[in-house]
Amino acid sequence: MKFRSPFFLFSQSENNTVVRVSLVISLTFSSNSEKPQTDTKNMTKLTLFTDLIGIIKDKASQSKAVLLSKPTTLSLLRATTHNSFTPPTHKHISTLLSSSDGSRATASSFLELLMDRLQNTNNAAVALKSLIVVHHIISHGSFILQDQLSVYPSTGGRNYLNLSNFRHNTNPTSWELSSWVRWFAQHIENILCTSRILGFFFLAKSLIDAEERVSGLTNGDLLKEFDSLVTLVEGICKRPNHASNEGNKNRDKNRDKDKNKLVDEIVNLVSEDWVVIESVVIVEVSEFKERLGCFEFGEAVELVCCLKRLEECKERVVMILESQQRLWDLVSDVKDKVGMEVYKEKGKVQKEGRKLRFSESDRFSARVINSRDSLWFPSGRLL
């Protein structure tokens, strides 16, 4: 089967004249009518062909941005190329974010440009790199950029990035990256939701006064924050498996060359997030421990449920992240103590319930004997 497709590349020569180059790329696959084409060579050719198409698209888009004098667009295109194996450089991200510094209108326009790039692409590499830029805004962005991100879109929600159904199955690499797009997008959405509940971007803020802050929260507000943090941890535990990233300590060093650096960058970013998330969780669980005996029955039940959900994440977290044993010891201790309070309170409720049981005749006589509960009619009869 032969596949032919024309592509056009726009470039700018030294004398600022535009050169239009017409490229015709041909790729030939061997066909077999008896079984599907699963030959490794064909897959390699397909991957190389897809990469070549991406390079051409990048060059064309960047050249167009240069001709139209759009520096912010050019910086975004350079940071979010179609290359499936390399992440955006710190230089490109810094240049991109510096171009958006300024007024609120400038930040809003940049964010709209970034979201259009993210939501209109069907390429997994472009989507992942766009998400990396969004994550960088959350962790290191200016106040104005973070503020605009927090209100985009105005409706908010847990799936506002609209990538939960993202699929890019051009080749095995893009298919694998698609699962990372869906997971990383969900992770970012969970961070944004948690940040809204806490009232600030907690990944970018110092945790020096964290204990003082949580001590001033009501039980209800503290439980709401903790539930959101547990949801965030549960999302992290759904991280896709990646052969070159699982069990790195026991893996042959010769296989390092097979790693996908773009995926490695995502893993590293989430690992950095976990350090902060773990610290916040420890602070809040420690606060719960200080408040033992001060919870209402419903609050205690809700807390035990959240602690059990967090404890169920332990095995996966320990497998994919560096975790402090202190966290899990603290969670287990508080869960057991609060669970005991719930058990005792439930016993009291059941005991009081038995004392309050009456027969039907007892309830009827009690209503009639008490004249204050009776009704006087105009006739003077007491009913």
Side-chain angles (χ1 to χ4, degrees):
M1 178 181 67
K2 291 186 178 181
F3 178 85
R4 290 178 176 270
S5 179
F7 297 92
F8 298 94
L9 172 64
F10 291 88
S11 60
Q12 192 172 15
S13 61
E14 295 181 357
N15 58 357
N16 294 324
T17 60
V18 180
V19 180
R20 185 180 184 183
V21 182
S22 176
L23 302 176
V24 179
I25 303 173
S26 301
L27 186 65
T28 304
F29 298 100
S30 61
S31 61
N32 191 329
S33 58
E34 296 180 357
K35 60 181 180 179
Q37 292 183 3
T38 58
D39 186 77
T40 304
K41 292 183 179 180
N42 286 339
M43 289 298 180
T44 303
K45 289 181 180 180
L46 181 59
T47 301
L48 293 174
F49 179 62
T50 304
D51 292 343
L52 182 58
I53 293 176
I55 293 173
I56 295 172
K57 286 183 177 180
D58 290 335
K59 293 297 182 182
S61 300
Q62 292 175 25
S63 299
K64 182 179 178 181
V66 170
L67 294 175
L68 297 178
S69 300
K70 293 183 176 181
T72 303
T73 302
L74 179 61
S75 297
L76 178 61
L77 292 172
R78 286 174 174 171
T80 58
T81 62
H82 288 71
N83 189 311
S84 300
F85 297 95
T86 57
T89 64
H90 291 292
K91 178 182 177 180
H92 285 154
I93 293 180
S94 298
T95 302
L96 174 61
L97 296 187
S98 63
S99 67
S100 63
D101 286 342
S103 65
R104 195 173 299 274
T106 302
S108 178
S109 299
F110 164 73
L111 195 62
E112 184 175 357
L113 183 67
L114 173 59
M115 290 302 177
D116 285 344
R117 176 70 165 168
L118 173 61
Q119 295 175 347
N120 292 333
T121 186
N122 60 358
N123 183 276
V126 173
L128 272 180
K129 293 176 184 182
S130 299
L131 289 171
I132 289 175
V133 175
V134 175
H135 186 277
H136 195 87
I137 293 174
I138 294 174
S139 302
H140 309 289
S142 64
F143 170 79
I144 294 180
L145 272 177
Q146 290 180 345
D147 179 63
Q148 290 300 303
L149 181 62
S150 67
V151 297
Y152 182 91
S154 58
T155 54
R158 285 190 175 274
N159 189 35
Y160 84 96
L161 293 180
N162 197 29
L163 295 173
S164 58
N165 295 318
F166 186 91
R167 296 287 188 281
H168 180 205
N169 56 358
T170 304
N171 55 58
T173 300
S174 62
W175 179 256
E176 179 189 8
L177 290 181
S178 294
S179 63
W180 287 92
V181 170
R182 296 190 295 272
W183 174 76
F184 194 44
Q186 184 63 62
H187 173 67
I188 290 176
E189 288 169 348
N190 287 340
I191 290 176
L192 292 173
C193 287
T194 302
S195 297
R196 290 190 185 104
I197 293 174
L198 269 62
F200 58 93
F201 283 93
F202 68 99
L203 292 183
K205 186 175 180 180
S206 172
L207 300 177
I208 296 177
D209 59 345
E211 294 182 4
E212 182 179 352
R213 185 190 72 83
V214 298
S215 65
L217 297 174
T218 64
N219 288 346
D221 290 339
L222 188 57
L223 280 168
K224 186 176 181 181
E225 287 189 5
F226 187 61
D227 175 71
S228 181
L229 287 166
V230 173
T231 300
L232 181 55
V233 176
E234 289 174 329
I236 292 176
C237 292
K238 297 176 182 177
R239 196 194 84 178
N241 292 325
H242 185 58
S244 62
N245 289 102
E246 296 291 343
N248 287 336
K249 296 180 180 179
N250 300 322
R251 194 166 292 276
D252 188 354
K253 293 182 180 180
N254 293 331
R255 298 186 184 182
D256 288 346
K257 62 182 181 180
D258 297 327
K259 288 185 178 181
N260 187 317
K261 293 182 179 180
L262 178 56
V263 172
D264 287 345
E265 178 69 12
I266 302 297
V267 171
N268 292 335
L269 289 175
V270 178
S271 297
E272 293 173 2
D273 293 347
W274 168 248
V275 174
V276 180
I277 295 168
E278 185 180 38
S279 299
V280 176
V281 170
I282 289 176
V283 169
E284 298 206 347
V285 177
S286 299
E287 180 62 24
F288 284 128
K289 187 176 182 178
E290 294 293 326
R291 300 188 187 191
L292 288 174
C294 301
F295 297 107
E296 295 182 0
F297 181 73
E299 293 172 342
V301 171
E302 183 178 354
L303 177 56
V304 170
C305 291
C306 287
L307 290 169
K308 284 183 177 178
R309 287 166 51 203
L310 182 58
E311 201 170 42
E312 289 172 355
C313 297
K314 177 181 177 180
E315 182 178 354
R316 179 63 174 166
V317 168
V318 172
M319 181 184 300
I320 65 176
L321 298 165
E322 295 291 336
S323 179
Q324 301 180 44
Q325 184 59 37
R326 175 194 171 195
L327 168 63
W328 307 112
D329 292 342
L330 186 60
V331 169
S332 179
D333 182 42
V334 175
K335 186 199 71 173
D336 291 342
K337 291 179 178 179
V338 178
M340 187 60 67
E341 287 186 4
V342 171
Y343 179 78
K344 291 179 179 178
E345 189 65 26
K346 184 178 179 182
K348 290 181 181 179
V349 171
Q350 291 176 342
K351 189 174 181 179
E352 291 175 0
R354 286 193 294 268
K355 289 180 179 180
L356 294 174
R357 289 177 182 173
F358 294 98
S359 65
E360 182 61 29
S361 59
D362 291 334
R363 290 194 297 269
F364 177 76
S365 61
R367 289 198 299 267
V368 174
I369 291 173
N370 191 349
S371 62
R372 289 176 298 179
D373 295 332
S374 304
L375 296 177
W376 284 94
F377 284 86
S379 63
R381 291 183 61 187
L382 178 63
L383 297 178

